[in-house]
Amino acid sequence: MFGRGGRGDLARFFAHGDLRLVILHLIAEKPRHGYEIIKAIEERVGGAYSPSPGTVYPTLTLLEELGHVTVTPGEGTKRLHTITPEGQSVLDGNRPILDAILARMAEAEAARGDGPPPSVVRAQEGLKLALQMRLARGPLSAEQAAAVTAALEAATAAVEQA
C-alpha cells in the first residue's frame, strides 16, 4: 500500500500543511523532542513512512515562530516542544482535517499486519547501514575485523535469545 521513506510517501500521507497538524497534535498529547516526534509518526503509520529530520525540525521552528509551540532546553542539545493556547486553537479549528489524517495513519498502521514492529525494522536497517558504511571506508585491520565480528555475533546471540 505505502512504500518506505522518500518524498513519494510524503505526498501520499500528507498534503500541504498536514504534517504540521500531525506534529502539533503529537505535541498537544505531551511535550516532545524532535526525535520523539519522528518516531511517533513512524510508529503510527506502522513503519510505512518516517519523516526526515530535514522535514520535522524546520516544521518545529516554523511552529515556534508562529507561536504555536514554546521550546525549552532539555537534556544536552534536545529541545522540548510544548503546545501554546494559540497552537491548541489551530488544532481545534482544523479538527475535521486532523481526524481524517489520523484515520489515514491508523489505516497504514493496520495494513502492516503481523509484520515486524517499526522499531525492529529501523534497528535492522541501521545495523546494515552502519556495516556497509564502515566497510566502504576501506579494508579492516585484523583487530578491526575481530571487533566487528564480535559485535555482530553478540547482536546475533542477543536476537536469538529475545
Side-chain angles (χ1 to χ4, degrees), residues 115-145:
S119 59
V120 171
V121 173
R122 183 175 52 250
Q124 176 185 355
E125 293 300 317
L127 177 59
K128 184 170 127 182
L129 181 61
L131 183 59
Q132 288 172 341
M133 290 175 65
R134 176 54 194 97
L135 294 176
R137 287 197 328 240
L140 298 173
S141 68
E143 185 177 288
Q144 290 169 325

Side-chain angles (χ1 to χ4, degrees), residues 82-151:
T82 305
I83 195 163
T84 64
E86 293 84 3
Q88 187 61 55
S89 189
V90 167
L91 279 182
D92 294 343
N94 288 285
R95 182 55 55 187
I97 295 168
L98 178 61
D99 288 344
I101 297 166
L102 295 175
R104 285 195 322 263
M105 292 172 71
E107 283 179 29
E109 182 180 23
R112 178 177 69 85
D114 293 331
S119 59
V120 171
V121 173
R122 183 175 52 250
Q124 176 185 355
E125 293 300 317
L127 177 59
K128 184 170 127 182
L129 181 61
L131 183 59
Q132 288 172 341
M133 290 175 65
R134 176 54 194 97
L135 294 176
R137 287 197 328 240
L140 298 173
S141 68
E143 185 177 288
Q144 290 169 325
V148 169
T149 301

Side-chain angles (χ1 to χ4, degrees), residues 10 13-30 32 36-45 49 51 56 59-60 63 69 83 87 90-91 94-95 97-106:
L10 181 61
F13 272 103
F14 302 114
H16 180 72
D18 287 357
L19 184 60
R20 189 180 323 161
L21 285 175
V22 170
I23 290 172
L24 199 54
H25 169 73
L26 292 170
I27 295 169
E29 287 182 341
K30 70 175 190 171
R32 296 180 191 253
E36 290 175 298
I37 292 167
I38 292 169
K39 296 308 155 206
I41 292 171
E42 184 178 331
E43 292 289 329
R44 290 185 187 207
V45 296
Y49 170 71
V56 171
T59 302
L60 289 169
L63 290 171
V69 299
I83 195 163
V90 167
L91 279 182
N94 288 285
R95 182 55 55 187
I97 295 168
L98 178 61
D99 288 344
I101 297 166
L102 295 175
R104 285 195 322 263
M105 292 172 71

Side-chain angles (χ1 to χ4, degrees), residues 20 61 152:
R20 189 180 323 161
T61 298
L152 292 172

